[in-house]
Amino acid sequence: MLEESIELRLEQLGITLPEASEPAAKYANCVIVNGLLFVSGKGPSGKPKGKLGQHFTTDEGYQFARSAGIEVLAVLKDALGSLDKVKRVVKVQGFVNADPAFEEPHKVLNGFSDLMLEVFGEKGMHARSVLGASTLRDNLPVVVDSIFEV
């Protein structure tokens, strides 16, 4: 039995990938080394600005992290031609622009992690770390960088 394609899975989830966003400065969107694809940090679409726990709730942060995941998927598709070339999500690191009293950065990053599991199934299970940050570029609420086996 053939595995379901990732493109079909995205369609079933109601996800339409945008064009891959351009890097915010002089660096590559992604780099492939020895079968690993490293995606530069991506934020949510629409470029919202503000801090979790001050301007945004945990639930809003979850949606921002999910949106950043969709941006990452667009970069993967642009780089690989097909998301079916992803063998596994390896590592995710999230940075949450948070008020110092905000204690739920891990719940925010679940938006990205849940998306990877929905899209890639068991291949979406990954190692992860998340950090609360006092500031992020352009005052984005979330930035996520990630590593994939291809």
Side-chain angles (χ1 to χ4, degrees):
M1 181 181 215
L2 290 174
E3 250 183 74
E4 170 182 299
S5 82
I6 299 302
E7 304 296 326
L8 179 58
R9 184 74 188 125
L10 288 174
E11 191 178 310
Q12 290 169 344
L13 292 168
I15 296 171
T16 301
L17 295 182
E19 292 293 318
S21 59
E22 293 296 319
K26 293 185 180 178
Y27 57 85
N29 247 349
C30 62
V31 175
I32 300 174
V33 177
N34 296 327
L36 294 176
L37 188 148
F38 297 78
V39 180
S40 295
K42 291 293 174 187
S45 62
K47 301 190 181 202
K49 295 179 182 282
K51 291 186 177 293
L52 275 291
Q54 193 174 75
H55 306 108
F56 301 114
T57 66
T58 300
D59 289 340
E60 289 171 313
Y62 177 99
Q63 292 303 321
F64 293 144
R66 184 177 177 87
S67 176
I70 291 171
E71 294 287 327
V72 167
L73 293 174
V75 168
L76 290 171
K77 180 166 178 161
D78 185 59
L80 300 172
S82 171
L83 293 174
D84 292 326
K85 293 181 180 177
V86 173
K87 292 181 181 177
R88 153 158 225 147
V89 183
V90 176
K91 171 74 175 177
V92 172
Q93 185 168 23
F95 301 90
V96 177
N97 188 1
D99 182 271
F102 185 71
E103 295 182 352
E104 298 185 320
H106 60 292
K107 291 181 180 177
V108 168
L109 196 56
N110 284 345
F112 187 98
S113 295
D114 289 348
L115 176 67
M116 294 301 116
L117 290 166
E118 289 171 22
V119 171
F120 295 109
E122 66 183 41
K123 297 186 306 184
M125 184 57 72
H126 51 271
R128 179 179 109 163
S129 55
V130 61
L131 303 166
S134 61
T135 187
L136 293 176
R137 69 174 166 84
D138 299 326
N139 200 27
L140 291 172
V142 178
V143 172
V144 182
D145 65 57
S146 45
I147 303 169
F148 298 80
E149 181 184 11
V150 296

